Amino acid sequence: QVQLVESGGGVVQTGDSLRLSCEASGAFFAINTIAWHRQVPGKERELVASIMNDDKVTYEDSVKGRFTISRINAKNTVTADLQMNNLKPEDTGVYYCSAEARRLTIDTFWGQGTQVTVSS
């Protein structure tokens, strides 16, 4: 099993910054892609940013230039941080971390989510 623990959400004002952190731990050979997603009520969960094992990154268009994803690979854990700058009200939502773990099979695991609220 792979556990994902997220932290760093909160309530901020427009233009502020937040840093989210996701730590993946457990039984895996490697974490291929680790990503952050956002979900707001009534809408589907959407990919915000992802980073692969070779550090290749992708961003949703609305966060390019404002958000930066990074990862640290340790022996039994992988940590992915999402630095969010110049936050806007439309960034509000529950942020979920996902990790694609290479085990005997390749499986995707999810964190419990952390709320980010940006007030205008």
Side-chain angles (χ1 to χ4, degrees):
Q1 191 71 338
V2 177
Q3 295 81 39
L4 274 65
V5 178
E6 300 142 334
S7 61
V11 179
V12 296
Q13 295 185 332
T14 298
D16 286 349
S17 297
L18 275 178
R19 189 176 185 89
L20 305 182
S21 186
C22 172
E23 182 180 276
S25 62
F28 54 82
F29 300 122
I31 298 293
N32 292 338
T33 300
I34 191 164
W36 283 96
H37 310 254
R38 176 176 61 223
Q39 188 164 28
V40 297
K43 292 189 176 182
E44 292 187 358
R45 192 173 298 183
E46 62 176 352
L47 176 67
V48 174
S50 67
I51 184 166
M52 299 177 68
N53 207 3
D54 60 0
D55 288 335
K56 180 180 178 181
V57 299
T58 60
Y59 295 99
E60 192 267 326
D61 285 345
S62 71
V63 307
K64 287 180 180 178
R66 301 187 296 121
F67 290 12
T68 303
I69 190 170
S70 59
R71 68 185 278 169
I72 297 175
N73 299 319
K75 183 176 181 181
N76 294 313
T77 63
V78 174
T79 301
D81 287 348
L82 184 67
Q83 177 66 41
M84 305 186 294
N85 297 328
N86 190 22
L87 282 161
K88 303 177 180 181
E90 52 264 42
D91 295 321
T92 294
V94 179
Y95 283 70
Y96 294 91
C97 177
S98 72
E100 184 183 81
R102 195 181 334 144
R103 310 192 300 163
L104 295 180
T105 55
I106 296 177
D107 303 299
T108 298
F109 295 87
W110 291 85
Q112 78 284 359
T114 185
Q115 177 71 44
V116 171
T117 302
V118 184
S119 61
S120 57

